[in-house]
Amino acid sequence: MAKNQQKVHAIMIPYPFQGHVIPFVHLAIKLASRDFTITFVNTHSIHQQISKAQSTDAGDIFAGARESGLDIRYATVSDGLPLEFDRSLNHDQHQESLLQVSSAHVDELVGKLVCSGNPPVSCLIADTFFVWPSSIASKYNLVNVSFWTEPALVFTLYYHLDLLRQNGHFASSDNRVDTIGYIPGVQAIEPRDLMSYLQASDITTVVHRIIYKAFEDVKRADFVICNTVQELEHETLSALNQKQPIYAIGPIFPNEFKRTKIATSLWSESDCSQWLNSKANGSVLYVSFGSYAHVSKHDIVEIAHGLSVSEVDFVWVLRPDIVSSDDTDILPDGFEDSVKERGLIVAWCHQIGVISHPAIGGFLTHCGWNSTMESMWCGVPLICFPLLTDQFTNRKLVVDDWKLGNL
Ligand code: UDX
Protein backbone atom coordinates (compact mmCIF):
# COMPACT_ATOMS: atom_id res chain seq x y z
CA MET A 1 0.00 0.00 0.00
CA ALA A 2 1.29 3.49 -0.87
CA LYS A 3 2.32 5.47 2.20
CA ASN A 4 -0.33 8.16 1.86
CA GLN A 5 -3.12 5.67 1.17
CA GLN A 6 -5.50 5.15 4.08
CA LYS A 7 -6.10 1.63 5.36
CA VAL A 8 -9.56 0.19 4.74
CA HIS A 9 -11.44 -0.18 8.03
CA ALA A 10 -14.31 -2.68 7.81
CA ILE A 11 -16.90 -3.66 10.41
CA MET A 12 -17.69 -7.39 10.17
CA ILE A 13 -20.90 -8.83 11.67
CA PRO A 14 -21.60 -12.59 11.45
CA TYR A 15 -25.05 -14.10 11.96
CA PRO A 16 -24.83 -15.34 15.56
CA PHE A 17 -24.49 -19.07 14.94
CA GLN A 18 -21.36 -21.22 15.07
CA GLY A 19 -21.46 -22.10 11.34
CA HIS A 20 -21.41 -18.39 10.47
CA VAL A 21 -18.96 -17.11 13.11
CA ILE A 22 -16.24 -19.55 11.95
CA PRO A 23 -16.04 -18.40 8.28
CA PHE A 24 -16.31 -14.76 9.37
CA VAL A 25 -13.33 -15.20 11.69
CA HIS A 26 -11.32 -16.86 8.89
CA LEU A 27 -12.19 -13.99 6.54
CA ALA A 28 -11.30 -11.37 9.18
CA ILE A 29 -7.85 -12.92 9.53
CA LYS A 30 -7.33 -13.02 5.75
CA LEU A 31 -8.36 -9.39 5.33
CA ALA A 32 -6.28 -8.20 8.30
CA SER A 33 -3.30 -10.07 6.85
CA ARG A 34 -3.80 -7.95 3.73
CA ASP A 35 -3.57 -4.74 5.75
CA PHE A 36 -7.26 -4.11 6.48
CA THR A 37 -8.31 -2.80 9.87
CA ILE A 38 -11.20 -4.95 11.08
CA THR A 39 -13.71 -4.34 13.84
CA PHE A 40 -15.35 -7.70 14.45
CA VAL A 41 -18.76 -7.74 16.17
CA ASN A 42 -20.17 -10.77 17.99
CA THR A 43 -23.37 -10.85 20.01
CA HIS A 44 -22.95 -10.75 23.79
CA SER A 45 -24.33 -14.28 23.84
CA ILE A 46 -21.85 -15.75 21.33
CA HIS A 47 -19.05 -13.94 23.15
CA GLN A 48 -20.15 -15.34 26.50
CA GLN A 49 -20.43 -18.89 25.14
CA ILE A 50 -16.97 -18.78 23.55
CA SER A 51 -15.42 -17.34 26.73
CA LYS A 52 -17.08 -20.06 28.82
CA ALA A 53 -15.93 -22.80 26.41
CA GLN A 54 -12.34 -21.59 26.70
CA SER A 55 -12.70 -21.39 30.52
CA THR A 56 -11.31 -17.88 30.43
CA ASP A 57 -12.80 -14.51 30.93
CA ALA A 58 -11.38 -13.71 27.50
CA GLY A 59 -12.02 -9.99 27.07
CA ASP A 60 -11.29 -10.34 23.41
CA ILE A 61 -11.09 -13.42 21.18
CA PHE A 62 -8.68 -11.62 18.83
CA ALA A 63 -6.01 -10.76 21.42
CA GLY A 64 -3.80 -13.54 19.97
CA ALA A 65 -4.22 -12.19 16.43
CA ARG A 66 -3.13 -8.75 17.57
CA GLU A 67 -0.01 -10.27 19.14
CA SER A 68 0.79 -11.49 15.61
CA GLY A 69 0.51 -7.92 14.35
CA LEU A 70 -3.01 -8.02 12.87
CA ASP A 71 -5.23 -4.97 13.38
CA ILE A 72 -8.45 -6.69 14.49
CA ARG A 73 -10.56 -4.95 17.09
CA TYR A 74 -13.52 -6.51 18.83
CA ALA A 75 -16.95 -5.37 19.98
CA THR A 76 -20.12 -7.07 21.19
CA VAL A 77 -23.77 -6.22 20.70
CA SER A 78 -27.09 -7.41 22.13
CA ASP A 79 -29.26 -9.76 20.06
CA GLY A 80 -32.26 -8.43 21.97
CA LEU A 81 -32.60 -11.37 24.39
CA PRO A 82 -31.37 -11.78 27.95
CA LEU A 83 -28.04 -13.62 28.21
CA GLU A 84 -29.53 -16.50 30.19
CA PHE A 85 -32.14 -17.24 27.47
CA ASP A 86 -31.58 -20.73 26.00
CA ARG A 87 -31.11 -19.97 22.31
CA SER A 88 -30.35 -23.54 21.31
CA LEU A 89 -33.65 -24.90 22.59
CA ASN A 90 -35.60 -21.89 21.27
CA HIS A 91 -34.29 -21.29 17.76
CA ASP A 92 -37.49 -19.53 16.63
CA GLN A 93 -37.55 -16.96 19.45
CA HIS A 94 -33.86 -16.30 18.88
CA GLN A 95 -34.46 -15.70 15.15
CA GLU A 96 -37.54 -13.56 15.89
CA SER A 97 -35.39 -11.33 18.05
CA LEU A 98 -32.74 -11.12 15.31
CA LEU A 99 -35.49 -10.10 12.90
CA GLN A 100 -37.34 -7.58 15.07
CA VAL A 101 -34.99 -6.24 17.71
CA SER A 102 -31.32 -6.66 16.99
CA SER A 103 -31.03 -4.06 14.18
CA ALA A 104 -31.61 -1.19 16.64
CA HIS A 105 -28.68 -2.40 18.76
CA VAL A 106 -26.47 -2.85 15.69
CA ASP A 107 -27.41 0.60 14.41
CA GLU A 108 -26.40 2.20 17.71
CA LEU A 109 -23.08 0.32 17.83
CA VAL A 110 -22.19 1.01 14.18
CA GLY A 111 -22.97 4.70 14.77
CA LYS A 112 -20.49 4.77 17.67
CA LEU A 113 -17.83 2.86 15.74
CA VAL A 114 -18.18 5.18 12.76
CA CYS A 115 -17.86 8.28 15.00
CA SER A 116 -14.73 7.02 16.72
CA GLY A 117 -13.16 4.96 13.89
CA ASN A 118 -9.46 5.49 13.33
CA PRO A 119 -8.78 4.92 10.47
CA PRO A 120 -12.31 5.95 9.49
CA VAL A 121 -14.76 3.08 8.96
CA SER A 122 -15.61 2.81 5.27
CA CYS A 123 -17.11 -0.64 4.83
CA LEU A 124 -19.69 -2.98 6.38
CA ILE A 125 -19.30 -6.74 5.81
CA ALA A 126 -22.51 -8.28 7.16
CA ASP A 127 -23.98 -11.76 6.89
CA THR A 128 -26.50 -12.09 4.04
CA PHE A 129 -29.03 -13.54 6.52
CA PHE A 130 -29.42 -10.14 8.21
CA VAL A 131 -32.37 -8.05 7.04
CA TRP A 132 -30.86 -4.62 7.81
CA PRO A 133 -27.42 -4.18 6.09
CA SER A 134 -28.57 -1.85 3.29
CA SER A 135 -30.28 0.61 5.65
CA ILE A 136 -27.37 0.72 8.09
CA ALA A 137 -24.74 0.94 5.33
CA SER A 138 -26.59 3.76 3.62
CA LYS A 139 -27.23 5.65 6.91
CA TYR A 140 -23.48 5.67 7.70
CA ASN A 141 -22.31 5.93 4.09
CA LEU A 142 -20.47 2.60 4.13
CA VAL A 143 -19.70 0.23 1.26
CA ASN A 144 -22.22 -2.59 1.73
CA VAL A 145 -20.60 -6.02 1.32
CA SER A 146 -22.83 -9.04 1.86
CA PHE A 147 -21.04 -12.22 2.96
CA TRP A 148 -22.87 -15.43 2.00
CA THR A 149 -21.39 -18.34 3.96
CA GLU A 150 -23.11 -21.12 1.98
CA PRO A 151 -22.73 -22.32 -1.64
CA ALA A 152 -23.70 -20.17 -4.63
CA LEU A 153 -26.37 -22.76 -5.55
CA VAL A 154 -28.22 -22.10 -2.28
CA PHE A 155 -27.83 -18.34 -2.75
CA THR A 156 -29.31 -18.41 -6.23
CA LEU A 157 -32.28 -20.55 -5.18
CA TYR A 158 -33.21 -18.06 -2.45
CA TYR A 159 -32.45 -15.19 -4.85
CA HIS A 160 -34.95 -16.63 -7.35
CA LEU A 161 -37.76 -17.43 -4.91
CA ASP A 162 -40.23 -15.51 -7.10
CA LEU A 163 -39.36 -17.68 -10.08
CA LEU A 164 -39.88 -20.85 -8.01
CA ARG A 165 -43.18 -19.42 -6.79
CA GLN A 166 -44.39 -18.44 -10.29
CA ASN A 167 -43.59 -21.92 -11.57
CA GLY A 168 -45.42 -23.65 -8.72
CA HIS A 169 -42.35 -25.24 -7.10
CA PHE A 170 -42.69 -23.10 -3.98
CA ALA A 171 -45.59 -21.63 -2.02
CA SER A 172 -48.36 -23.38 -3.89
CA SER A 173 -50.87 -25.59 -2.06
CA ASP A 174 -49.71 -28.50 -4.20
CA ASN A 175 -46.05 -27.88 -5.12
CA ARG A 176 -44.83 -29.36 -8.41
CA VAL A 177 -42.48 -32.31 -7.96
CA ASP A 178 -40.88 -32.37 -11.43
CA THR A 179 -37.31 -31.25 -12.15
CA ILE A 180 -36.59 -27.51 -11.90
CA GLY A 181 -34.74 -26.37 -15.03
CA TYR A 182 -35.35 -22.63 -15.24
CA ILE A 183 -33.07 -21.11 -12.57
CA PRO A 184 -30.30 -19.19 -14.39
CA GLY A 185 -26.98 -21.01 -14.05
CA VAL A 186 -28.52 -24.18 -12.56
CA GLN A 187 -28.89 -26.94 -15.13
CA ALA A 188 -31.39 -28.99 -13.15
CA ILE A 189 -32.38 -29.55 -9.55
CA GLU A 190 -34.99 -31.86 -8.04
CA PRO A 191 -37.49 -30.35 -5.58
CA ARG A 192 -36.31 -32.83 -2.90
CA ASP A 193 -32.86 -31.15 -3.10
CA LEU A 194 -34.19 -27.68 -2.32
CA MET A 195 -33.38 -26.20 1.09
CA SER A 196 -35.75 -27.53 3.78
CA TYR A 197 -37.41 -24.12 4.14
CA LEU A 198 -38.48 -24.22 0.48
CA GLN A 199 -39.93 -27.72 0.92
CA ALA A 200 -41.90 -26.84 4.07
CA SER A 201 -45.69 -26.69 4.05
CA ASP A 202 -45.80 -23.76 6.48
CA ILE A 203 -44.01 -20.93 4.69
CA THR A 204 -44.90 -18.22 7.20
CA THR A 205 -42.37 -19.13 9.90
CA VAL A 206 -39.89 -16.61 11.25
CA VAL A 207 -37.10 -18.13 9.12
CA HIS A 208 -39.22 -17.64 6.00
CA ARG A 209 -39.84 -13.99 6.92
CA ILE A 210 -36.09 -13.55 7.40
CA ILE A 211 -35.28 -15.17 4.05
CA TYR A 212 -37.84 -13.02 2.15
CA LYS A 213 -36.50 -9.80 3.66
CA ALA A 214 -32.81 -10.71 3.57
CA PHE A 215 -32.95 -11.65 -0.12
CA GLU A 216 -34.65 -8.37 -0.95
CA ASP A 217 -32.04 -6.51 1.07
CA VAL A 218 -29.07 -8.29 -0.53
CA LYS A 219 -30.13 -6.90 -3.92
CA ARG A 220 -29.07 -3.47 -2.59
CA ALA A 221 -25.57 -4.65 -1.57
CA ASP A 222 -22.63 -3.15 -3.45
CA PHE A 223 -21.36 -6.69 -3.93
CA VAL A 224 -21.65 -10.17 -2.53
CA ILE A 225 -18.78 -12.41 -1.45
CA CYS A 226 -19.50 -16.11 -1.33
CA ASN A 227 -17.69 -18.81 0.63
CA THR A 228 -17.37 -21.14 -2.33
CA VAL A 229 -14.79 -22.11 -4.92
CA GLN A 230 -15.04 -20.41 -8.32
CA GLU A 231 -14.07 -23.52 -10.30
CA LEU A 232 -16.73 -25.64 -8.58
CA GLU A 233 -19.69 -23.30 -9.08
CA HIS A 234 -18.65 -21.15 -12.02
CA GLU A 235 -21.90 -21.53 -14.01
CA THR A 236 -24.06 -20.49 -11.09
CA LEU A 237 -21.73 -17.63 -10.21
CA SER A 238 -21.54 -16.26 -13.74
CA ALA A 239 -25.33 -16.31 -14.11
CA LEU A 240 -25.67 -14.44 -10.80
CA ASN A 241 -23.01 -11.99 -11.92
CA GLN A 242 -25.35 -10.85 -14.71
CA LYS A 243 -27.60 -9.47 -11.96
CA GLN A 244 -25.24 -8.39 -9.20
CA PRO A 245 -21.48 -8.54 -8.60
CA ILE A 246 -20.69 -11.73 -6.68
CA TYR A 247 -17.23 -13.12 -5.99
CA ALA A 248 -16.21 -16.60 -4.83
CA ILE A 249 -13.62 -16.21 -2.07
CA GLY A 250 -13.23 -19.78 -0.82
CA PRO A 251 -11.58 -21.67 0.56
CA ILE A 252 -10.75 -19.29 3.40
CA PHE A 253 -9.30 -21.62 6.03
CA PRO A 254 -6.03 -20.75 7.72
CA ASN A 255 -3.00 -22.16 5.89
CA GLU A 256 -2.37 -24.76 8.53
CA PHE A 257 -5.00 -26.49 10.60
CA LYS A 258 -3.45 -26.55 14.06
CA ARG A 259 -5.47 -24.75 16.73
CA THR A 260 -4.96 -21.05 16.27
CA LYS A 261 -4.78 -18.51 19.04
CA ILE A 262 -8.23 -17.32 18.02
CA ALA A 263 -11.03 -19.11 19.81
CA THR A 264 -14.13 -19.72 17.71
CA SER A 265 -15.74 -22.77 19.33
CA LEU A 266 -18.92 -22.40 21.38
CA TRP A 267 -18.12 -25.63 23.23
CA SER A 268 -14.82 -26.64 24.73
CA GLU A 269 -12.69 -28.75 22.38
CA SER A 270 -11.54 -32.26 23.34
CA ASP A 271 -8.08 -33.15 22.10
CA CYS A 272 -8.37 -36.25 19.87
CA SER A 273 -4.81 -36.23 18.52
CA GLN A 274 -3.26 -38.79 20.88
CA TRP A 275 -6.08 -41.24 20.26
CA LEU A 276 -5.88 -40.68 16.47
CA ASN A 277 -2.08 -41.13 16.51
CA SER A 278 -2.63 -44.72 17.67
CA LYS A 279 -4.79 -45.56 14.63
CA ALA A 280 -3.79 -46.70 11.14
CA ASN A 281 -3.99 -44.22 8.27
CA GLY A 282 -7.45 -43.89 6.76
CA SER A 283 -9.03 -46.26 9.30
CA VAL A 284 -11.25 -43.91 11.37
CA LEU A 285 -14.73 -42.61 10.57
CA TYR A 286 -15.47 -39.11 11.88
CA VAL A 287 -19.15 -38.53 12.75
CA SER A 288 -20.55 -35.05 13.38
CA PHE A 289 -23.73 -33.13 12.67
CA GLY A 290 -22.47 -29.58 13.14
CA SER A 291 -23.54 -26.98 15.65
CA TYR A 292 -27.19 -26.23 14.97
CA ALA A 293 -29.31 -29.21 13.98
CA HIS A 294 -30.98 -31.43 16.55
CA VAL A 295 -31.09 -35.17 15.92
CA SER A 296 -33.89 -37.40 17.23
CA LYS A 297 -33.06 -39.92 19.92
CA HIS A 298 -34.26 -42.59 17.51
CA ASP A 299 -31.64 -41.54 14.93
CA ILE A 300 -28.90 -41.48 17.58
CA VAL A 301 -29.77 -45.05 18.56
CA GLU A 302 -29.76 -46.15 14.89
CA ILE A 303 -26.36 -44.52 14.27
CA ALA A 304 -24.97 -46.16 17.40
CA HIS A 305 -26.24 -49.50 16.12
CA GLY A 306 -24.63 -48.88 12.71
CA LEU A 307 -21.31 -48.00 14.34
CA SER A 308 -21.51 -51.16 16.48
CA VAL A 309 -22.10 -53.55 13.62
CA SER A 310 -19.71 -51.81 11.19
CA GLU A 311 -16.77 -52.60 13.48
CA VAL A 312 -15.07 -49.47 12.21
CA ASP A 313 -13.04 -47.17 14.51
CA PHE A 314 -14.73 -43.79 14.98
CA VAL A 315 -14.72 -40.34 16.55
CA TRP A 316 -18.31 -39.25 17.25
CA VAL A 317 -19.12 -35.67 18.20
CA LEU A 318 -22.22 -35.61 20.39
CA ARG A 319 -22.93 -32.00 21.32
CA PRO A 320 -24.55 -31.48 24.73
CA ASP A 321 -27.67 -30.15 22.94
CA ILE A 322 -27.72 -32.66 20.05
CA VAL A 323 -31.15 -33.92 21.13
CA SER A 324 -33.67 -31.12 21.64
CA SER A 325 -34.81 -32.27 25.07
CA ASP A 326 -33.37 -32.51 28.54
CA ASP A 327 -32.71 -36.21 27.99
CA THR A 328 -29.02 -36.73 28.75
CA ASP A 329 -29.14 -40.50 28.48
CA ILE A 330 -29.35 -40.82 24.71
CA LEU A 331 -27.01 -43.70 23.85
CA PRO A 332 -28.23 -47.29 23.99
CA ASP A 333 -27.42 -49.19 27.22
CA GLY A 334 -23.93 -50.68 27.14
CA PHE A 335 -22.97 -48.96 23.85
CA GLU A 336 -20.04 -46.96 25.25
CA ASP A 337 -18.53 -50.01 26.98
CA SER A 338 -18.95 -52.17 23.91
CA VAL A 339 -17.03 -49.72 21.67
CA LYS A 340 -14.48 -48.33 24.14
CA GLU A 341 -11.52 -49.92 22.33
CA ARG A 342 -12.39 -48.39 18.97
CA GLY A 343 -14.67 -45.40 19.54
CA LEU A 344 -13.98 -41.92 20.92
CA ILE A 345 -17.09 -39.93 21.86
CA VAL A 346 -16.58 -36.21 22.50
CA ALA A 347 -18.86 -33.21 23.00
CA TRP A 348 -16.90 -31.03 20.55
CA CYS A 349 -13.44 -31.04 18.96
CA HIS A 350 -11.21 -28.94 16.72
CA GLN A 351 -12.87 -30.42 13.62
CA ILE A 352 -10.50 -29.28 10.93
CA GLY A 353 -7.57 -30.50 13.06
CA VAL A 354 -9.27 -33.90 13.39
CA ILE A 355 -10.28 -34.44 9.76
CA SER A 356 -6.85 -33.39 8.51
CA HIS A 357 -5.29 -36.17 10.63
CA PRO A 358 -4.05 -39.07 8.43
CA ALA A 359 -6.03 -41.61 10.51
CA ILE A 360 -9.35 -40.18 9.27
CA GLY A 361 -10.73 -42.09 6.26
CA GLY A 362 -14.31 -40.81 6.04
CA PHE A 363 -16.84 -38.38 7.47
CA LEU A 364 -20.48 -39.17 8.28
CA THR A 365 -21.85 -35.64 8.03
CA HIS A 366 -25.05 -33.60 8.06
CA CYS A 367 -23.57 -31.74 5.02
CA GLY A 368 -23.20 -28.37 6.73
CA TRP A 369 -21.41 -26.16 4.24
CA ASN A 370 -18.34 -25.55 6.41
CA SER A 371 -17.96 -29.26 7.08
CA THR A 372 -18.34 -29.95 3.35
CA MET A 373 -15.67 -27.42 2.36
CA GLU A 374 -13.32 -28.59 5.11
CA SER A 375 -13.60 -32.25 4.04
CA MET A 376 -13.09 -31.42 0.37
CA TRP A 377 -9.99 -29.47 1.34
CA CYS A 378 -8.66 -32.36 3.44
CA GLY A 379 -9.57 -34.98 0.80
CA VAL A 380 -11.94 -36.87 3.11
CA PRO A 381 -14.89 -38.66 1.40
CA LEU A 382 -18.35 -38.06 2.83
CA ILE A 383 -21.33 -40.16 3.85
CA CYS A 384 -24.23 -37.72 3.76
CA PHE A 385 -27.04 -37.48 6.30
CA PRO A 386 -28.65 -34.05 5.70
CA LEU A 387 -30.97 -32.82 8.45
CA LEU A 388 -32.27 -29.36 7.58
CA THR A 389 -31.80 -25.98 5.82
CA ASP A 390 -29.11 -25.93 3.06
CA GLN A 391 -27.86 -29.44 3.88
CA PHE A 392 -30.14 -31.18 1.32
CA THR A 393 -28.88 -28.88 -1.42
CA ASN A 394 -25.26 -29.31 -0.31
CA ARG A 395 -25.78 -33.09 -0.50
CA LYS A 396 -26.79 -32.74 -4.15
CA LEU A 397 -23.55 -30.88 -4.90
CA VAL A 398 -21.39 -33.39 -3.02
CA VAL A 399 -23.00 -36.62 -4.20
CA ASP A 400 -24.70 -35.96 -7.56
CA ASP A 401 -22.52 -33.21 -9.04
CA TRP A 402 -19.04 -33.62 -7.60
CA LYS A 403 -19.13 -37.37 -6.77
CA LEU A 404 -17.30 -36.83 -3.49
CA GLY A 405 -19.70 -38.70 -1.26
CA ASN A 406 -22.52 -41.15 -0.92
CA LEU A 407 -26.04 -41.26 0.34
C1 UDX B 1 -25.20 -24.44 9.72
C2 UDX B 1 -25.54 -25.00 8.31
O1 UDX B 1 -25.96 -26.29 8.30
C3 UDX B 1 -24.46 -24.69 7.34
O2 UDX B 1 -24.62 -25.33 6.11
C4 UDX B 1 -24.51 -23.21 7.19
O3 UDX B 1 -23.57 -22.77 6.25
C5 UDX B 1 -24.21 -22.59 8.53
O4 UDX B 1 -25.14 -23.04 9.52
P1 UDX B 1 -23.60 -26.10 11.09
O5 UDX B 1 -24.79 -26.96 11.18
O6 UDX B 1 -22.93 -25.74 12.31
O7 UDX B 1 -23.92 -24.80 10.25
O8 UDX B 1 -22.58 -26.92 10.15
P2 UDX B 1 -21.25 -26.51 9.42
O9 UDX B 1 -21.51 -25.52 8.34
O10 UDX B 1 -20.63 -27.77 9.00
O11 UDX B 1 -20.36 -25.77 10.49
C6 UDX B 1 -19.87 -26.40 11.63
C7 UDX B 1 -18.53 -25.80 11.97
O12 UDX B 1 -18.20 -26.20 13.29
C8 UDX B 1 -17.42 -26.30 11.05
O13 UDX B 1 -16.54 -25.24 10.72
C9 UDX B 1 -16.68 -27.33 11.89
O14 UDX B 1 -15.30 -27.40 11.64
C10 UDX B 1 -16.93 -26.83 13.29
N1 UDX B 1 -16.94 -27.94 14.25
C11 UDX B 1 -17.93 -28.87 14.22
C12 UDX B 1 -15.93 -28.01 15.16
O15 UDX B 1 -14.99 -27.19 15.17
N2 UDX B 1 -15.94 -29.03 16.06
C13 UDX B 1 -16.90 -29.98 16.09
O16 UDX B 1 -16.83 -30.85 16.97
C14 UDX B 1 -17.94 -29.90 15.13
Side-chain angles (χ1 to χ4, degrees):
M1 188 165 62
K3 264 197 175 149
N4 55 358
Q5 210 179 327
Q6 190 128 71
K7 280 177 80 166
V8 176
H9 184 172
I11 297 174
M12 296 185 67
I13 314 186
Y15 210 59
F17 292 102
Q18 179 79 91
H20 295 250
V21 171
I22 290 175
F24 262 81
V25 167
H26 292 329
L27 179 61
I29 294 166
K30 294 264 177 209
L31 291 175
S33 318
R34 284 164 178 72
D35 222 20
F36 278 60
T37 296
I38 299 294
T39 298
F40 195 98
V41 180
N42 266 334
T43 59
H44 300 329
S45 162
I46 290 281
H47 173 69
Q48 188 200 43
Q49 216 181 323
I50 292 177
S51 305
K52 202 167 134 204
Q54 312 309 316
S55 318
T56 64
D57 222 2
D60 183 339
I61 63 169
F62 288 103
R66 272 195 301 279
E67 273 168 28
S68 319
L70 302 181
D71 189 0
I72 309 185
R73 302 144 192 204
Y74 188 62
T76 59
V77 69
S78 169
D79 61 9
L81 290 167
L83 268 178
E84 60 281 7
F85 183 83
D86 189 336
R87 290 154 179 79
S88 163
L89 291 181
N90 298 286
H91 282 156
D92 280 3
Q93 279 154 280
H94 185 199
Q95 303 254 31
E96 192 73 56
S97 187
L98 293 171
L99 175 63
Q100 306 289 352
V101 185
S102 78
S103 69
H105 297 289
V106 173
D107 187 340
E108 193 187 343
L109 176 68
V110 171
K112 281 188 193 149
L113 294 172
V114 166
C115 277
S116 59
N118 180 21
V121 177
S122 56
C123 176
L124 176 69
I125 305 178
D127 199 298
T128 309
F129 268 118
F130 285 122
V131 298
W132 42 255
S134 67
S135 56
I136 291 187
S138 99
K139 178 168 176 186
Y140 297 105
N141 200 20
L142 304 174
V143 175
N144 175 6
V145 181
S146 187
F147 182 21
W148 179 244
T149 60
E150 298 175 13
L153 175 60
V154 174
F155 183 94
T156 204
L157 291 166
Y158 284 140
Y159 198 89
H160 290 101
L161 265 190
D162 283 349
L163 208 47
L164 288 164
R165 194 190 290 264
Q166 281 157 26
N167 282 278
H169 280 105
F170 172 66
S172 101
S173 53
D174 190 16
N175 281 346
R176 281 170 60 184
V177 291
D178 57 330
T179 306
I180 300 161
Y182 48 79
I183 303 288
V186 180
Q187 276 183 11
I189 181 163
E190 301 303 326
R192 63 167 183 272
D193 295 328
L194 293 176
M195 296 77 84
S196 59
Y197 303 125
L198 304 194
Q199 298 188 50
S201 47
D202 179 4
I203 56 158
T204 60
T205 69
V206 59
V207 179
H208 288 91
R209 285 181 280 130
I210 288 172
I211 291 166
Y212 304 143
K213 283 192 173 206
F215 276 83
E216 276 313 303
D217 197 77
V218 76
K219 291 175 180 148
R220 295 186 278 272
D222 290 296
F223 59 92
V224 180
I225 48 180
C226 180
N227 186 21
T228 191
V229 177
Q230 173 68 32
E231 289 77 1
L232 288 175
E233 296 205 86
H234 68 98
E235 269 181 57
T236 308
L237 288 159
S238 40
L240 276 165
N241 248 311
Q242 309 287 317
K243 312 214 162 173
Q244 181 160 19
I246 179 164
Y247 304 100
I249 58 160
I252 49 171
F253 320 117
N255 293 333
E256 40 107 21
F257 299 143
K258 297 201 190 84
R259 285 167 209 238
T260 63
K261 286 184 182 168
I262 299 146
T264 54
S265 280
L266 302 192
W267 295 272
S268 99
E269 294 170 359
S270 294
D271 188 351
C272 308
S273 51
Q274 227 180 327
W275 188 88
L276 287 169
N277 287 344
S278 70
K279 302 291 173 188
N281 283 2
S283 66
V284 177
L285 179 70
Y286 174 69
V287 184
S288 169
F289 307 116
S291 63
Y292 182 74
H294 298 296
V295 180
S296 69
K297 187 169 171 179
H298 173 265
D299 283 347
I300 297 281
V301 170
E302 286 297 311
I303 291 161
H305 181 64
L307 291 169
S308 275
V309 297
S310 73
E311 295 186 2
V312 76
D313 290 356
F314 64 88
V315 175
W316 188 1
V317 177
L318 275 174
R319 278 186 352 251
D321 65 344
I322 190 79
V323 170
S324 67
S325 70
D326 290 338
D327 197 347
T328 46
D329 201 11
I330 53 174
L331 290 168
D333 281 349
F335 173 74
E336 281 170 274
D337 274 348
S338 70
V339 296
K340 69 172 181 295
E341 299 301 320
R342 62 184 179 86
L344 181 64
I345 300 174
V346 296
W348 194 254
C349 65
H350 178 56
Q351 176 168 296
I352 200 156
V354 168
I355 62 172
S356 61
H357 191 285
I360 297 293
F363 183 178
L364 172 56
T365 175
H366 68 314
C367 299
W369 185 241
N370 296 293
S371 295
T372 303
M373 292 274 281
E374 290 161 12
S375 333
M376 285 195 291
W377 193 246
C378 296
V380 176
L382 300 167
I383 305 171
C384 299
F385 182 57
L387 293 164
L388 81 169
T389 175
D390 58 333
Q391 297 151 20
F392 300 94
T393 318
N394 302 343
R395 185 219 62 85
K396 169 201 157 34
L397 291 170
V398 165
V399 178
D400 304 345
D401 297 358
W402 302 333
K403 321 278 183 224
L404 298 172
N406 272 304
L407 171 71

